[in-house]
Amino acid sequence: MIGASERTLSRLFHMELSMSFRRWRITLRIHHALAHLTDGMSVTETAVACCWSSPSSFIDAFTEVIGQTPGRYQADLRNGR
């Protein structure tokens, strides 16, 4: 539709963003998840809202990107950290 091959788009992502399309997509989903968690949405509700296949896969991805679990992130918010 856009006249570029998958390989071309992959190279452009790496050139422009220094990450793969997959990594960019995960990062974007985590960004949206941060907003939900900050608003008080549960971890499970956030996983569903951000289209993860399961809460555990969401927790794994969140921990990899943010460096702590979503539950710990929310606890830190409540404690003013």
Side-chain angles (χ1 to χ4, degrees), residues 1-77:
M1 281 198 252
I2 60 173
S5 70
E6 181 179 340
R7 187 172 177 181
T8 297
L9 293 175
S10 178
R11 275 189 297 230
L12 287 171
F13 257 90
H14 275 286
M15 259 178 26
E16 296 293 324
L17 303 174
S18 299
M19 66 177 75
S20 68
F21 175 74
R22 182 179 185 279
R23 182 66 176 180
W24 173 82
R25 186 170 167 249
I26 289 170
T27 302
L28 180 64
R29 290 167 72 195
I30 294 295
H31 175 77
H32 287 287
L34 286 168
H36 290 307
L37 293 168
T38 300
D39 288 342
M41 190 179 278
S42 76
V43 172
T44 300
E45 291 169 330
T46 300
V48 170
C50 294
C51 301
W52 254 273
S53 60
S54 69
S56 63
S57 64
F58 165 63
I59 292 167
D60 290 343
F62 188 95
T63 303
E64 182 182 325
V65 172
I66 302 300
Q68 62 182 354
T69 65
R72 171 55 54 200
Y73 175 80
Q74 282 187 314
D76 286 351
L77 286 174

